[in-house]
Amino acid sequence: MNLDWRVYPLPLAEPLRISRSVMARRDAVAVRLTHDGGTGHGEVVTSAYQRLDLGRIDALLTALRPRVTGYADPDALRAHLAALAADLADAPGVLGALAAAGHR
């Protein structure tokens, strides 16, 4: 099983205005799991509130790559998502992207 990802800009249709800032775009990370010719996709979006900038998302995915590629197939990965969740307790967006990609 192979895990890779790419970053792309995510412009908002309308600027999001909150009390402390205005946001017109965010960065998104497309997560892809491939296995035996099948591909699953997930996505995580940067979040200042959750302290998920591109550097942290990349570091988390890089650290997870050896563990994820060690599973025999997506079913095995899905069966062990709870174990990965402990490492991603403060980064649920990354866990969600990985889980979505595992459900190809």
Side-chain angles (χ1 to χ4, degrees):
M1 193 157 43
N2 185 44
L3 171 66
D4 62 15
W5 57 93
R6 70 176 179 83
V7 176
Y8 62 95
L10 186 63
L12 303 179
E14 295 288 330
L16 174 64
R17 298 177 193 282
I18 59 175
S19 62
R20 65 182 179 274
S21 66
V22 177
M23 183 184 331
R25 70 178 282 271
R26 294 173 80 176
D27 291 312
V29 179
V31 176
R32 184 172 66 173
L33 276 174
T34 55
H35 176 73
D36 283 345
T39 303
H41 301 275
E43 179 184 68
V44 57
V45 178
T46 56
S47 169
Y49 177 76
Q50 293 186 347
R51 300 179 327 275
L52 277 179
D53 59 14
L54 288 177
R56 184 157 181 250
I57 293 170
D58 184 68
L60 288 168
L61 290 170
T62 298
L64 283 172
R65 181 182 271 154
R67 290 179 65 188
V68 169
T69 58
Y71 290 106
D73 55 46
D75 292 334
L77 171 66
R78 287 193 308 273
H80 292 95
L81 279 176
L84 294 174
D87 294 336
L88 297 170
D90 65 340
V94 176
L95 179 63
L98 188 60
H103 283 88
R104 63 182 175 123

Coordinates of all heavy atoms in Angstrom, one line a residue:
M1 N 0.8 -1.2 0.0 CA 0.0 0.0 0.0 C 0.9 1.2 0.0 O 1.9 1.3 0.7 CB -0.9 0.0 1.2 CG -2.0 0.9 1.2 SD -3.4 0.6 2.2 CE -2.7 0.0 3.7
N2 N 0.5 2.2 -0.7 CA 1.3 3.4 -0.9 C 0.5 4.7 -0.4 O -0.7 4.8 -0.7 CB 1.7 3.6 -2.3 CG 2.7 4.8 -2.5 OD1 3.6 5.0 -1.7 ND2 2.4 5.6 -3.5
L3 N 1.1 5.5 0.3 CA 0.5 6.8 0.8 C 1.2 8.0 0.2 O 2.5 8.0 0.3 CB 0.5 6.8 2.3 CG 0.1 8.2 3.0 CD1 -1.3 8.5 2.8 CD2 0.5 8.1 4.5
D4 N 0.5 8.8 -0.5 CA 1.1 10.1 -0.9 C 0.1 11.2 -0.8 O -1.1 11.0 -0.5 CB 1.7 10.0 -2.3 CG 0.7 9.7 -3.4 OD1 -0.5 9.8 -3.1 OD2 1.1 9.3 -4.5
W5 N 0.6 12.4 -1.0 CA -0.3 13.6 -0.8 C 0.2 14.7 -1.7 O 1.4 14.8 -2.1 CB -0.5 14.0 0.6 CG 0.8 14.3 1.3 CD1 1.4 15.5 1.5 CD2 1.7 13.3 2.0 NE1 2.6 15.3 2.2 CE2 2.8 14.0 2.5 CE3 1.6 11.9 2.2 CZ2 3.8 13.4 3.2 CZ3 2.6 11.3 2.9 CH2 3.7 12.1 3.4
R6 N -0.7 15.7 -1.9 CA -0.3 16.9 -2.6 C -1.1 18.1 -2.0 O -2.2 17.9 -1.5 CB -0.5 16.8 -4.1 CG -1.9 16.8 -4.5 CD -2.1 16.8 -6.1 NE -3.5 16.8 -6.4 CZ -4.3 17.8 -6.5 NH1 -3.9 19.0 -6.2 NH2 -5.6 17.7 -6.8
V7 N -0.5 19.3 -2.1 CA -1.0 20.5 -1.6 C -1.6 21.3 -2.7 O -1.0 21.3 -3.8 CB 0.0 21.3 -0.8 CG1 -0.5 22.6 -0.4 CG2 0.6 20.5 0.3
Y8 N -2.8 21.9 -2.5 CA -3.3 22.8 -3.5 C -4.1 23.9 -2.8 O -4.6 23.7 -1.7 CB -4.2 22.0 -4.5 CG -5.4 21.3 -3.9 CD1 -6.7 22.0 -3.9 CD2 -5.3 20.1 -3.3 CE1 -7.8 21.4 -3.3 CE2 -6.4 19.5 -2.7 CZ -7.6 20.1 -2.7 OH -8.7 19.5 -2.2
P9 N -4.2 25.1 -3.5 CA -5.0 26.2 -2.9 C -6.5 25.9 -2.9 O -7.0 25.3 -3.9 CB -4.6 27.4 -3.7 CG -4.2 26.8 -5.0 CD -3.7 25.4 -4.7
L10 N -7.2 26.4 -1.9 CA -8.6 26.3 -1.9 C -9.2 27.6 -1.7 O -9.4 28.1 -0.6 CB -9.0 25.3 -0.7 CG -10.5 25.0 -0.6 CD1 -10.9 24.2 -1.8 CD2 -10.7 24.1 0.7
P11 N -9.5 28.3 -2.8 CA -10.1 29.7 -2.7 C -11.6 29.6 -2.2 O -12.3 28.7 -2.7 CB -10.0 30.3 -4.1 CG -9.8 29.1 -5.0 CD -9.2 28.0 -4.2
L12 N -12.0 30.4 -1.4 CA -13.3 30.4 -0.9 C -14.2 31.3 -1.8 O -13.8 32.3 -2.3 CB -13.4 31.0 0.5 CG -12.5 30.3 1.6 CD1 -12.7 31.0 2.9 CD2 -12.9 28.8 1.7
A13 N -15.4 30.8 -2.0 CA -16.4 31.6 -2.9 C -16.6 33.0 -2.4 O -16.7 33.9 -3.1 CB -17.7 30.8 -3.1
E14 N -16.7 33.1 -1.1 CA -16.9 34.4 -0.4 C -15.9 34.4 0.8 O -15.7 33.4 1.4 CB -18.3 34.5 0.2 CG -19.4 34.5 -0.9 CD -19.4 35.8 -1.7 OE1 -19.0 36.9 -1.1 OE2 -19.8 35.8 -2.8
P15 N -15.3 35.6 1.0 CA -14.4 35.7 2.2 C -15.1 35.3 3.5 O -16.3 35.7 3.7 CB -13.9 37.1 2.2 CG -14.1 37.5 0.7 CD -15.3 36.8 0.2
L16 N -14.5 34.6 4.3 CA -15.0 34.2 5.6 C -14.5 35.3 6.6 O -13.3 35.5 6.8 CB -14.5 32.9 6.1 CG -14.9 32.4 7.5 CD1 -16.4 32.3 7.6 CD2 -14.2 31.1 7.8
R17 N -15.5 36.0 7.2 CA -15.2 37.1 8.2 C -15.5 36.6 9.6 O -16.7 36.3 9.8 CB -15.9 38.3 7.8 CG -15.6 38.9 6.5 CD -16.5 40.1 6.1 NE -16.4 40.5 4.7 CZ -15.4 41.1 4.2 NH1 -14.3 41.5 4.9 NH2 -15.4 41.4 2.9
I18 N -14.5 36.7 10.4 CA -14.8 36.5 11.9 C -14.2 37.6 12.6 O -13.6 38.5 12.0 CB -14.2 35.1 12.3 CG1 -12.7 35.0 12.1 CG2 -14.9 33.9 11.6 CD1 -12.1 33.8 12.7
S19 N -14.4 37.6 13.9 CA -14.0 38.8 14.7 C -12.5 39.2 14.6 O -12.2 40.4 14.7 CB -14.4 38.6 16.2 OG -13.6 37.5 16.7
R20 N -11.7 38.2 14.4 CA -10.2 38.5 14.4 C -9.6 38.5 13.0 O -8.4 38.8 12.9 CB -9.5 37.6 15.3 CG -9.5 36.2 14.9 CD -8.8 35.3 15.9 NE -8.9 33.9 15.5 CZ -9.8 33.1 15.7 NH1 -10.9 33.5 16.4 NH2 -9.8 31.8 15.3
S21 N -10.3 38.1 12.0 CA -9.6 38.1 10.7 C -10.6 37.9 9.5 O -11.8 37.6 9.8 CB -8.6 36.9 10.6 OG -9.3 35.7 10.7
V22 N -10.1 38.0 8.3 CA -10.9 37.7 7.1 C -10.0 36.7 6.3 O -8.8 36.9 6.1 CB -11.1 38.9 6.3 CG1 -11.8 38.6 5.0 CG2 -11.9 40.0 7.0
M23 N -10.7 35.6 5.9 CA -10.0 34.6 5.1 C -10.6 34.4 3.7 O -11.8 34.2 3.6 CB -10.1 33.2 5.9 CG -9.4 32.1 5.3 SD -9.6 30.5 6.2 CE -10.0 31.0 7.9
A24 N -9.8 34.5 2.7 CA -10.3 34.4 1.3 C -9.9 33.1 0.7 O -10.4 32.7 -0.3 CB -9.8 35.5 0.5
R25 N -8.9 32.4 1.3 CA -8.5 31.1 0.8 C -7.9 30.3 1.9 O -7.4 30.8 3.0 CB -7.5 31.2 -0.3 CG -6.2 31.7 0.0 CD -5.2 31.8 -1.1 NE -4.7 30.5 -1.5 CZ -3.5 30.0 -1.0 NH1 -2.8 30.6 -0.1 NH2 -3.1 28.8 -1.4
R26 N -7.8 29.0 1.7 CA -7.1 28.1 2.6 C -6.3 27.1 1.8 O -6.4 27.1 0.6 CB -8.1 27.3 3.5 CG -8.8 28.2 4.4 CD -9.9 27.5 5.1 NE -9.4 26.7 6.3 CZ -10.2 26.1 7.1 NH1 -11.5 26.0 7.0 NH2 -9.6 25.4 8.1
D27 N -5.4 26.4 2.4 CA -4.6 25.4 1.7 C -5.3 24.0 2.1 O -5.7 23.8 3.2 CB -3.2 25.4 2.1 CG -2.5 26.7 1.6 OD1 -2.6 27.0 0.4 OD2 -1.8 27.3 2.4
A28 N -5.3 23.2 1.1 CA -5.8 21.8 1.3 C -4.8 20.8 0.9 O -3.9 21.1 0.1 CB -7.1 21.6 0.4
V29 N -4.9 19.6 1.5 CA -3.9 18.5 1.2 C -4.8 17.3 0.8 O -5.6 16.9 1.6 CB -3.1 18.2 2.5 CG1 -2.1 17.1 2.2 CG2 -2.3 19.4 2.9
A30 N -4.6 16.9 -0.4 CA -5.2 15.7 -0.9 C -4.4 14.5 -0.6 O -3.2 14.5 -0.9 CB -5.4 15.8 -2.4
V31 N -5.0 13.6 0.1 CA -4.3 12.4 0.6 C -4.8 11.2 -0.3 O -6.0 11.1 -0.6 CB -4.7 12.1 2.0 CG1 -4.1 10.8 2.5 CG2 -4.2 13.2 2.9
R32 N -3.8 10.4 -0.7 CA -4.1 9.3 -1.7 C -3.5 8.0 -1.2 O -2.3 8.0 -0.9 CB -3.7 9.6 -3.1 CG -4.0 8.6 -4.1 CD -3.7 9.0 -5.5 NE -2.3 9.2 -5.6 CZ -1.6 9.4 -6.7 NH1 -2.3 9.6 -7.8 NH2 -0.3 9.5 -6.8
L33 N -4.3 6.9 -1.1 CA -3.8 5.6 -0.8 C -4.0 4.7 -2.0 O -5.1 4.7 -2.5 CB -4.6 5.0 0.4 CG -4.2 5.3 1.8 CD1 -5.2 4.7 2.8 CD2 -2.8 4.8 2.1
T34 N -3.0 4.1 -2.4 CA -3.1 3.1 -3.6 C -2.7 1.7 -3.1 O -1.8 1.6 -2.3 CB -2.2 3.6 -4.8 OG1 -0.9 3.7 -4.3 CG2 -2.7 4.9 -5.3
H35 N -3.5 0.8 -3.7 CA -3.2 -0.6 -3.4 C -3.8 -1.5 -4.5 O -5.0 -1.4 -4.8 CB -3.8 -1.0 -2.0 CG -3.6 -2.4 -1.7 ND1 -2.4 -3.0 -1.3 CD2 -4.5 -3.5 -1.6 CE1 -2.5 -4.3 -1.1 NE2 -3.8 -4.6 -1.3
D36 N -3.0 -2.4 -5.1 CA -3.5 -3.3 -6.1 C -4.3 -2.7 -7.1 O -5.4 -3.2 -7.5 CB -4.2 -4.5 -5.4 CG -3.3 -5.5 -4.8 OD1 -2.1 -5.4 -5.1 OD2 -3.8 -6.3 -4.0
G37 N -3.9 -1.5 -7.6 CA -4.7 -0.9 -8.7 C -5.8 0.0 -8.3 O -6.4 0.7 -9.1
G38 N -6.2 0.0 -7.0 CA -7.3 0.8 -6.5 C -6.7 2.0 -5.8 O -5.6 2.0 -5.3
T39 N -7.5 3.1 -5.8 CA -7.0 4.4 -5.2 C -8.1 4.9 -4.3 O -9.3 5.0 -4.8 CB -6.7 5.4 -6.3 OG1 -5.6 4.8 -7.1 CG2 -6.1 6.7 -5.7
G40 N -7.8 5.3 -3.1 CA -8.7 6.0 -2.2 C -8.2 7.4 -2.0 O -7.0 7.7 -2.0
H41 N -9.2 8.3 -1.8 CA -8.9 9.8 -1.7 C -9.4 10.3 -0.4 O -10.5 10.0 0.0 CB -9.4 10.6 -2.8 CG -8.9 10.1 -4.1 ND1 -7.7 10.6 -4.7 CD2 -9.4 9.2 -5.0 CE1 -7.5 10.0 -5.8 NE2 -8.5 9.2 -6.1
G42 N -8.7 11.2 0.3 CA -9.1 11.9 1.4 C -8.6 13.4 1.3 O -7.8 13.7 0.5
E43 N -9.0 14.2 2.2 CA -8.6 15.6 2.2 C -8.6 16.2 3.6 O -9.4 15.9 4.4 CB -9.5 16.4 1.3 CG -9.2 17.9 1.2 CD -10.2 18.7 0.4 OE1 -11.3 18.8 0.9 OE2 -9.9 19.1 -0.6
V44 N -7.6 17.0 3.9 CA -7.5 17.7 5.1 C -7.2 19.2 4.7 O -6.4 19.4 3.8 CB -6.4 17.2 6.1 CG1 -5.1 17.1 5.5 CG2 -6.4 17.9 7.4
V45 N -7.8 20.1 5.4 CA -7.7 21.5 5.1 C -7.0 22.2 6.3 O -7.2 21.8 7.5 CB -9.0 22.2 4.9 CG1 -8.9 23.7 4.7 CG2 -9.8 21.5 3.7
T46 N -6.1 23.1 6.0 CA -5.4 23.8 7.1 C -6.3 24.5 8.0 O -7.4 24.9 7.6 CB -4.4 24.9 6.5 OG1 -5.1 25.8 5.7 CG2 -3.3 24.2 5.7
S47 N -5.9 24.6 9.3 CA -6.8 25.2 10.3 C -5.9 25.9 11.4 O -5.2 25.2 12.1 CB -7.7 24.2 10.9 OG -8.4 24.7 12.1
A48 N -6.0 27.2 11.5 CA -5.3 27.9 12.6 C -5.9 27.5 13.9 O -5.1 27.3 14.9 CB -5.4 29.4 12.4
Y49 N -7.2 27.3 14.0 CA -7.8 26.9 15.3 C -7.3 25.5 15.8 O -7.0 25.4 17.0 CB -9.3 26.8 15.1 CG -10.1 26.3 16.3 CD1 -10.3 27.2 17.4 CD2 -10.6 25.0 16.4 CE1 -10.9 26.7 18.5 CE2 -11.2 24.6 17.5 CZ -11.4 25.5 18.6 OH -12.1 25.0 19.7
Q50 N -7.1 24.6 14.9 CA -6.6 23.2 15.3 C -5.1 23.1 15.1 O -4.5 22.1 15.3 CB -7.2 22.1 14.4 CG -8.7 22.0 14.7 CD -9.3 20.8 14.0 OE1 -8.7 20.2 13.1 NE2 -10.5 20.5 14.5
R51 N -4.4 24.3 14.9 CA -2.9 24.3 14.8 C -2.5 23.3 13.7 O -1.5 22.6 13.8 CB -2.2 24.0 16.1 CG -2.6 25.0 17.2 CD -1.9 24.7 18.5 NE -1.7 23.4 18.9 CZ -2.6 22.6 19.5 NH1 -3.8 23.0 19.8 NH2 -2.3 21.3 19.8
L52 N -3.2 23.3 12.6 CA -2.8 22.5 11.4 C -2.4 23.3 10.3 O -3.2 23.7 9.4 CB -4.0 21.6 11.0 CG -4.3 20.3 11.8 CD1 -5.5 19.6 11.2 CD2 -3.0 19.4 11.7
D53 N -1.1 23.7 10.2 CA -0.6 24.4 9.0 C 0.0 23.3 8.1 O 0.0 22.1 8.4 CB 0.4 25.4 9.4 CG 1.6 24.9 10.2 OD1 1.8 23.7 10.2 OD2 2.3 25.7 10.7
L54 N 0.4 23.7 6.9 CA 1.0 22.8 6.0 C 2.1 22.0 6.5 O 2.3 20.8 6.3 CB 1.3 23.5 4.7 CG 0.2 24.0 3.8 CD1 0.7 24.8 2.6 CD2 -0.7 22.8 3.4
G55 N 3.0 22.7 7.2 CA 4.2 22.0 7.8 C 3.8 20.9 8.7 O 4.4 19.8 8.7
R56 N 2.8 21.1 9.6 CA 2.4 20.1 10.5 C 1.7 19.0 9.9 O 1.9 17.8 10.2 CB 1.5 20.7 11.6 CG 1.2 19.7 12.7 CD 0.8 20.4 14.0 NE 0.5 19.3 15.0 CZ -0.8 19.1 15.4 NH1 -1.8 19.8 15.0 NH2 -1.0 18.1 16.3
I57 N 0.9 19.3 8.9 CA 0.2 18.2 8.2 C 1.2 17.3 7.4 O 1.1 16.1 7.5 CB -0.9 18.8 7.2 CG1 -2.0 19.5 7.9 CG2 -1.4 17.7 6.2 CD1 -2.9 20.3 7.1
D58 N 2.1 18.0 6.8 CA 3.2 17.2 6.1 C 4.0 16.3 7.1 O 4.3 15.2 6.8 CB 4.1 18.2 5.3 CG 5.1 17.4 4.5 OD1 4.7 16.8 3.5 OD2 6.3 17.5 4.9
A59 N 4.4 16.9 8.2 CA 5.1 16.1 9.2 C 4.4 14.9 9.7 O 4.9 13.8 9.9 CB 5.6 17.1 10.3
L60 N 3.1 15.1 10.0 CA 2.2 14.0 10.5 C 2.1 12.9 9.4 O 2.2 11.7 9.7 CB 0.9 14.5 10.9 CG 0.8 15.4 12.2 CD1 -0.5 16.1 12.3 CD2 1.1 14.5 13.4
L61 N 1.8 13.3 8.2 CA 1.7 12.3 7.1 C 3.0 11.6 6.9 O 3.1 10.4 6.6 CB 1.2 13.0 5.8 CG -0.3 13.4 5.9 CD1 -0.7 14.2 4.7 CD2 -1.2 12.2 6.0
T62 N 4.1 12.3 6.9 CA 5.4 11.7 6.7 C 5.7 10.7 7.8 O 6.2 9.6 7.5 CB 6.5 12.8 6.7 OG1 6.3 13.7 5.6 CG2 7.9 12.2 6.6
A63 N 5.4 11.1 9.0 CA 5.6 10.1 10.2 C 4.7 8.9 10.0 O 5.1 7.8 10.5 CB 5.4 10.8 11.5
L64 N 3.5 9.1 9.5 CA 2.5 8.0 9.4 C 2.9 7.0 8.2 O 2.5 5.9 8.2 CB 1.1 8.5 9.2 CG 0.4 9.0 10.4 CD1 -0.9 9.7 10.0 CD2 0.2 7.9 11.4
R65 N 3.5 7.6 7.2 CA 3.8 6.8 6.0 C 4.3 5.4 6.2 O 3.8 4.4 5.7 CB 4.7 7.5 5.0 CG 4.9 6.8 3.7 CD 5.8 7.5 2.8 NE 5.0 8.4 1.9 CZ 5.5 9.5 1.4 NH1 6.7 9.9 1.6 NH2 4.7 10.2 0.6
P66 N 5.4 5.2 7.0 CA 5.9 3.8 7.3 C 4.9 2.9 7.9 O 4.8 1.7 7.6 CB 7.1 4.0 8.2 CG 7.5 5.5 8.1 CD 6.2 6.2 7.7
R67 N 4.1 3.4 8.8 CA 3.1 2.6 9.5 C 2.0 2.2 8.5 O 1.6 1.1 8.4 CB 2.5 3.3 10.7 CG 3.5 3.5 11.8 CD 2.9 4.2 13.0 NE 1.8 3.5 13.6 CZ 1.0 4.0 14.5 NH1 1.2 5.3 14.9 NH2 0.0 3.3 15.1
V68 N 1.5 3.2 7.7 CA 0.4 2.9 6.8 C 0.8 1.9 5.7 O 0.1 1.0 5.4 CB -0.1 4.3 6.2 CG1 -1.0 4.0 5.0 CG2 -0.7 5.1 7.2
T69 N 2.0 2.1 5.2 CA 2.5 1.2 4.1 C 2.8 -0.2 4.6 O 2.9 -1.1 3.9 CB 3.7 1.8 3.4 OG1 4.8 2.0 4.3 CG2 3.4 3.1 2.7
G70 N 2.8 -0.3 6.0 CA 3.1 -1.6 6.5 C 1.8 -2.5 6.6 O 1.9 -3.7 6.8
Y71 N 0.6 -1.9 6.4 CA -0.6 -2.7 6.4 C -0.7 -3.5 5.1 O -0.3 -2.9 4.0 CB -1.8 -1.8 6.6 CG -1.9 -1.3 8.0 CD1 -1.6 0.0 8.3 CD2 -2.2 -2.1 9.1 CE1 -1.6 0.5 9.6 CE2 -2.3 -1.6 10.4 CZ -2.0 -0.3 10.6 OH -2.0 0.2 11.9
A72 N -1.3 -4.7 5.1 CA -1.4 -5.5 3.9 C -2.3 -4.9 2.9 O -2.1 -5.1 1.7 CB -1.8 -6.9 4.3
D73 N -3.4 -4.3 3.4 CA -4.4 -3.8 2.5 C -5.3 -2.7 3.2 O -5.1 -2.6 4.4 CB -5.3 -4.9 1.9 CG -5.9 -5.7 3.0 OD1 -6.5 -5.2 4.0 OD2 -5.9 -7.0 2.9
P74 N -6.2 -2.0 2.5 CA -7.0 -1.0 3.2 C -7.9 -1.6 4.3 O -8.1 -0.9 5.3 CB -7.8 -0.4 2.0 CG -7.0 -0.7 0.8 CD -6.3 -2.0 1.1
D75 N -8.3 -2.8 4.2 CA -9.1 -3.4 5.2 C -8.3 -3.5 6.5 O -8.9 -3.2 7.6 CB -9.6 -4.8 4.9 CG -10.6 -4.8 3.7 OD1 -11.3 -3.8 3.6 OD2 -10.7 -5.8 3.0
A76 N -7.1 -3.9 6.5 CA -6.2 -4.0 7.6 C -6.0 -2.6 8.2 O -6.0 -2.4 9.5 CB -4.9 -4.7 7.3
L77 N -5.8 -1.6 7.4 CA -5.6 -0.2 7.9 C -6.9 0.2 8.6 O -6.8 0.7 9.7 CB -5.3 0.7 6.7 CG -5.3 2.2 7.0 CD1 -4.2 2.5 8.0 CD2 -5.3 3.0 5.8
R78 N -8.0 0.0 8.0 CA -9.3 0.4 8.6 C -9.5 -0.3 10.0 O -10.0 0.3 10.9 CB -10.5 0.2 7.7 CG -10.5 1.2 6.5 CD -11.9 1.1 5.8 NE -12.3 -0.2 5.4 CZ -11.9 -0.8 4.3 NH1 -11.2 -0.2 3.4 NH2 -12.4 -2.0 4.0
A79 N -9.1 -1.5 10.1 CA -9.3 -2.3 11.3 C -8.4 -1.7 12.4 O -8.7 -1.9 13.6 CB -8.9 -3.7 11.1
H80 N -7.3 -1.0 12.1 CA -6.4 -0.4 13.1 C -6.4 1.1 13.2 O -5.5 1.7 13.7 CB -5.0 -0.9 12.8 CG -4.8 -2.4 13.0 ND1 -5.0 -3.3 12.0 CD2 -4.6 -3.1 14.1 CE1 -4.8 -4.5 12.5 NE2 -4.6 -4.4 13.8
L81 N -7.5 1.7 12.6 CA -7.6 3.2 12.7 C -7.6 3.7 14.1 O -7.0 4.8 14.4 CB -8.8 3.7 11.9 CG -8.6 3.8 10.4 CD1 -9.9 4.3 9.8 CD2 -7.5 4.8 10.0
A82 N -8.1 2.9 15.0 CA -8.1 3.4 16.5 C -6.7 3.5 17.0 O -6.4 4.5 17.8 CB -8.9 2.4 17.3
A83 N -5.8 2.7 16.6 CA -4.4 2.8 17.0 C -3.8 4.0 16.5 O -3.0 4.7 17.1 CB -3.6 1.5 16.6
L84 N -4.1 4.4 15.2 CA -3.6 5.6 14.6 C -4.2 6.8 15.2 O -3.6 7.9 15.3 CB -3.8 5.6 13.1 CG -3.0 4.5 12.3 CD1 -3.4 4.5 10.9 CD2 -1.5 4.7 12.5
A85 N -5.5 6.7 15.6 CA -6.2 7.8 16.2 C -5.5 8.3 17.5 O -5.5 9.5 17.8 CB -7.6 7.4 16.5
A86 N -4.9 7.4 18.3 CA -4.2 7.9 19.5 C -3.0 8.8 19.1 O -2.8 9.8 19.8 CB -3.6 6.7 20.2
D87 N -2.4 8.6 18.0 CA -1.3 9.4 17.6 C -1.8 10.7 16.9 O -1.0 11.7 16.8 CB -0.4 8.7 16.6 CG 0.4 7.5 17.2 OD1 0.5 7.5 18.4 OD2 0.7 6.6 16.5
L88 N -3.0 10.8 16.5 CA -3.6 11.9 15.9 C -4.7 12.6 16.6 O -5.6 13.2 16.1 CB -4.1 11.5 14.5 CG -3.0 11.0 13.5 CD1 -3.6 10.4 12.3 CD2 -2.0 12.1 13.1
A89 N -4.7 12.4 18.0 CA -5.8 12.9 18.8 C -6.0 14.4 18.6 O -7.1 14.9 18.7 CB -5.5 12.6 20.2
D90 N -4.9 15.1 18.4 CA -5.0 16.6 18.3 C -5.0 17.0 16.8 O -4.8 18.2 16.5 CB -3.9 17.3 19.1 CG -2.5 17.0 18.6 OD1 -2.3 16.0 17.9 OD2 -1.6 17.8 18.9
A91 N -5.1 16.1 15.9 CA -5.2 16.4 14.4 C -6.3 15.5 13.8 O -6.0 14.7 12.9 CB -3.8 16.1 13.8
P92 N -7.5 15.7 14.2 CA -8.6 14.8 13.6 C -8.8 15.0 12.1 O -9.2 14.0 11.5 CB -9.8 15.3 14.4 CG -9.5 16.7 14.9 CD -8.1 16.7 15.1
G93 N -8.4 16.1 11.6 CA -8.5 16.3 10.1 C -7.6 15.4 9.3 O -8.0 14.8 8.3
V94 N -6.4 15.1 9.9 CA -5.5 14.2 9.2 C -6.0 12.8 9.3 O -6.0 12.0 8.4 CB -4.1 14.4 9.8 CG1 -3.1 13.3 9.3 CG2 -3.5 15.8 9.6
L95 N -6.5 12.4 10.5 CA -7.1 11.1 10.7 C -8.3 10.9 9.8 O -8.4 9.8 9.1 CB -7.5 10.9 12.1 CG -8.1 9.5 12.4 CD1 -7.2 8.4 12.2 CD2 -8.7 9.5 13.9
G96 N -9.1 11.9 9.6 CA -10.3 11.8 8.7 C -9.9 11.6 7.3 O -10.5 10.9 6.5
A97 N -8.8 12.4 6.9 CA -8.3 12.2 5.5 C -7.8 10.8 5.2 O -8.1 10.2 4.2 CB -7.3 13.2 5.2
L98 N -7.1 10.3 6.2 CA -6.5 8.9 6.1 C -7.7 7.9 6.1 O -7.7 7.0 5.3 CB -5.6 8.7 7.2 CG -4.8 7.4 7.1 CD1 -3.9 7.3 5.9 CD2 -3.9 7.3 8.4
A99 N -8.6 8.1 6.9 CA -9.8 7.1 7.0 C -10.6 7.2 5.7 O -11.0 6.1 5.2 CB -10.7 7.5 8.2
A100 N -10.8 8.4 5.2 CA -11.6 8.5 3.9 C -10.8 7.8 2.8 O -11.4 7.1 2.0 CB -11.8 9.9 3.6
A101 N -9.5 8.0 2.7 CA -8.7 7.4 1.7 C -8.7 5.8 1.8 O -8.6 5.1 0.8 CB -7.3 7.9 1.7
G102 N -8.8 5.4 3.0 CA -8.8 3.9 3.3 C -10.1 3.3 2.9 O -10.2 2.0 2.8
H103 N -11.2 4.0 2.6 CA -12.5 3.5 2.2 C -12.7 3.6 0.7 O -13.8 3.6 0.2 CB -13.6 4.3 2.9 CG -13.8 3.9 4.3 ND1 -13.0 4.4 5.3 CD2 -14.5 2.9 4.8 CE1 -13.4 3.9 6.4 NE2 -14.3 2.9 6.2
R104 N -11.6 3.5 -0.1 CA -11.7 3.6 -1.5 C -12.9 2.9 -2.0 O -13.3 2.8 -3.0 CB -10.4 3.1 -2.1 CG -10.1 1.7 -1.9 CD -8.8 1.3 -2.5 NE -8.5 -0.1 -2.1 CZ -8.3 -1.1 -2.9 NH1 -8.3 -0.8 -4.2 NH2 -8.1 -2.3 -2.5

